[in-house]
Amino acid sequence: MPINPQAYRPASALLDLGPTLSDPVAAADFPETRLRFRNDRAAAEVGLDTLTDAEWTQAFGRFAPLPGTLPQPLALRYHGHQFRQYNPDIGDGRGFTFAQTRDVDDRLMDLGTKGSGTTPYSRSGDGRLTLKGGVREILATEMLEALNVPTSRTLSLIETGERLMRGDEPSPTRSAVLVRLNHGHIRIGSFQRLAYHQDEAGMRALVRYVLTNLYGEDSDDPLRLLDHVVGRTATLAARYMAAGFVHGVLNSDNINVTGESFDYGPWRFAPTWDPGFTAAYFDHAGLYAFGRQPEAIHWDVMQLAASLRLIAESDPLIATLETFAPRYQPQITAALLWRLGVLPCTPEDDRALVQAMERALHASAAPLDRFFFDVFGGTLPDSYGEAWQPFRDALAAYAPRKDRSHRYWQGEPCSMLIDEVEAIWSPIADADDWRALEGKVAAIREMGDALA
């Protein structure tokens, strides 16, 4: 297997936790493996870009072990609050951690799967992923990466030749297995499970694992862990809002302790600045609506703090938890200034600019993607009328952080609304035509280059 010896650095840190966190499992034996997407840009960061397509398919469709890393896949154990209802009967039900490596920045990275078969936590599920679900995850992760949101990255998508029955797609539908790359799959729900079982030794071991391997600290201090998670998740919530992204299912088992977005189901990008916009058809109360996402993520981090009471005092945990809002506010301002393409001024001016922008966006129902495209670099076109004058006046004091010389600015804004997602999927479903997806990924990456 021609793995890049300069860049490939296998790891197996998960094994240090023993059986506390996971169960060894085997991948499904799929009828076929047809490579549909490989992310060589991400693969190069962990030394896997030199694999041939045949070797890639063996690794990420048949799960032949990668050299020097985990000897077999591990399904992670966790609990979680799902729409605020505690569920002790969950875990990796259709995925596992397949391997660990270190990237070019020396970060520990997990290669995790979706649709790789049943595990002890599958319950009545088949452990599979629809091909459409895999395509949607490619689009979500590519778009969020381009928009500066910390996210898992879709490394691979392989079609697996099964016909799946689903209630939310025309069935039978095609099957696939996906591999994602991100900096840890340890969820808040992993800590909730240990607290549920009153496993103090396991909790201390998991705290040390996260601090050592994911935050680079030789510590097992639960307050340090909570402090990191509060900071990272406040940033994640702010970046979601600036991107106009709605995750859809912000349960505590879908929030990892590195503050990276992952596990994309009923996601949407909001067409306008509408706080009540929801992504999941089953979110009848709007619990995870666009404007409620910071609240939802903060509530999930509260569950981490509650779990850490097993090994820490309540008062300092509460004090740390209460720093979420003061950390979120400068992060949302910074994220929106980044999206506007301007450099910060004073904190007071920056807040005033953001408030004027939010008022105008909400009142006008202007298309978000068009607005951020038009205003990038600090100039609002005259076509935006008098209602925008307070924002235009505030914007006049700002210098661009980047010019508009990139060819992206000569075209149209790159968006990812639900109609386009369906339009990209339709030729795949009807004629096995992948050109729309390939073209969209290229367009998203071009936008990312222009914004970066």
Side-chain angles (χ1 to χ4, degrees):
M1 186 175 286
I3 288 171
N4 184 339
Q6 283 74 44
Y8 180 68
R9 291 181 295 156
S12 55
L14 266 179
L15 299 179
D16 295 342
L17 290 170
T20 302
L21 190 74
S22 61
D23 293 277
V25 294
D29 183 13
F30 297 114
E32 64 179 59
T33 48
R34 300 180 65 191
L35 179 57
R36 294 304 196 176
F37 176 79
R38 60 177 284 171
N39 188 342
D40 281 322
R41 184 169 68 169
E45 298 178 10
V46 289
L48 296 172
D49 56 312
T50 52
L51 297 177
T52 67
D53 282 354
E55 291 159 340
W56 183 283
T57 301
Q58 276 297 109
F60 304 130
R62 299 298 180 191
F63 298 100
L66 294 173
T69 181
L70 303 178
Q72 66 186 110
L74 297 174
L76 301 186
R77 303 172 180 173
Y78 46 86
H79 290 179
H81 278 87
Q82 300 183 310
F83 286 84
R84 304 280 168 94
Q85 300 297 312
Y86 193 77
N87 188 348
D89 297 320
I90 53 177
D92 278 342
R94 59 172 175 169
F96 48 63
T97 301
F98 166 58
Q100 293 185 296
T101 67
R102 291 198 170 272
D103 71 2
V104 291
D105 296 321
D106 199 36
R107 297 188 308 159
L108 181 69
M109 304 297 290
D110 286 352
L111 278 71
T113 67
K114 191 173 184 179
S116 48
T118 57
T119 77
Y121 310 105
S122 299
R123 294 178 288 169
S124 59
D126 61 13
R128 270 43 173 191
L129 170 70
T130 68
L131 183 63
K132 184 178 183 181
V135 167
R136 285 171 46 79
E137 186 141 339
I138 292 169
L139 293 170
T141 55
E142 290 285 336
M143 195 73 175
L144 289 175
E145 182 183 356
L147 290 174
N148 202 33
V149 176
T151 179
S152 65
R153 298 162 79 185
T154 303
L155 184 69
S156 172
L157 182 69
I158 292 174
E159 189 168 358
T160 54
E162 296 177 308
R163 308 296 284 174
L164 305 179
M165 303 303 296
R166 292 291 187 269
D168 56 353
E169 291 188 34
S171 296
T173 190
R174 294 152 71 178
S175 62
V177 63
L178 178 143
V179 177
R180 67 166 70 100
L181 181 69
N182 67 322
H183 184 43
H185 278 82
I186 305 299
R187 308 157 190 253
I188 288 175
S190 303
F191 293 86
Q192 290 181 277
R193 177 185 170 276
L194 294 169
Y196 181 90
H197 290 294
Q198 294 291 295
D199 185 352
E200 291 188 31
M203 183 74 80
R204 293 185 189 280
L206 186 56
V207 169
R208 175 169 286 282
Y209 172 89
V210 172
L211 287 172
T212 301
N213 294 289
L214 305 182
Y215 284 104
E217 295 186 5
D218 182 16
S219 172
D220 61 0
D221 182 355
L223 289 173
R224 289 293 302 150
L225 172 64
L226 183 61
D227 184 64
H228 283 303
V229 176
V230 168
R232 291 284 186 91
T233 54
T235 298
L236 174 63
R239 302 278 181 88
Y240 273 171
M241 297 302 292
F245 181 72
V246 187
H247 184 281
V249 188
L250 291 174
N251 296 331
S252 62
D253 57 297
N254 283 340
I255 304 294
N256 73 14
V257 293
T258 54
E260 291 170 293
S261 179
F262 77 116
D263 203 10
Y264 299 98
W267 60 268
R268 296 282 190 278
F269 281 90
T272 64
W273 193 269
D274 176 6
F277 180 80
T278 57
Y281 68 88
F282 46 82
D283 187 5
H284 304 295
L287 182 64
Y288 299 142
F290 175 52
R292 296 185 67 183
Q293 291 182 117
E295 170 203 339
I297 291 173
H298 187 202
W299 192 92
D300 288 329
V301 180
M302 288 172 59
Q303 310 320 305
L304 174 62
S307 300
L308 291 172
R309 289 174 58 194
L310 184 65
I311 58 171
E313 295 296 322
S314 295
D315 288 349
L317 290 170
I318 292 169
T320 302
L321 188 64
E322 289 175 345
T323 67
F324 184 94
R327 287 167 148 176
Y328 171 78
Q329 290 303 325
Q331 287 295 332
I332 183 61
T333 300
L336 287 168
L337 292 178
W338 182 92
R339 191 86 197 269
L340 292 169
V342 297
L343 297 170
C345 288
T346 68
E348 294 77 13
D349 287 341
D350 294 345
R351 284 195 296 272
L353 177 70
V354 166
Q355 288 168 359
M357 183 203 74
E358 289 181 331
R359 283 195 293 267
L361 279 173
H362 188 62
S364 67
L368 277 184
D369 296 317
R370 168 56 68 183
F371 164 73
F372 283 119
F373 182 90
D374 288 345
V375 77
F376 187 88
T379 302
L380 187 69
D382 292 339
S383 58
Y384 288 78
E386 292 184 8
W388 286 87
Q389 196 58 44
F391 171 74
R392 183 179 281 107
D393 292 342
L395 188 63
Y398 284 79
R401 69 169 176 85
K402 196 172 184 180
D403 63 32
R404 294 176 67 101
S405 60
H406 192 283
R407 65 178 183 177
Y408 170 71
W409 303 112
Q410 310 311 311
E412 290 294 311
C414 182
S415 61
M416 188 52 65
L417 303 182
I418 186 60
D419 289 346
E420 184 166 7
V421 175
E422 294 299 324
I424 290 168
W425 169 249
S426 182
I428 297 173
D430 295 341
D432 205 33
D433 183 349
W434 292 76
R435 288 175 295 177
L437 175 66
E438 293 160 0
K440 190 63 181 184
V441 169
I444 292 169
R445 291 181 178 183
E446 182 177 71
M447 177 184 69
D449 291 340
L451 294 174

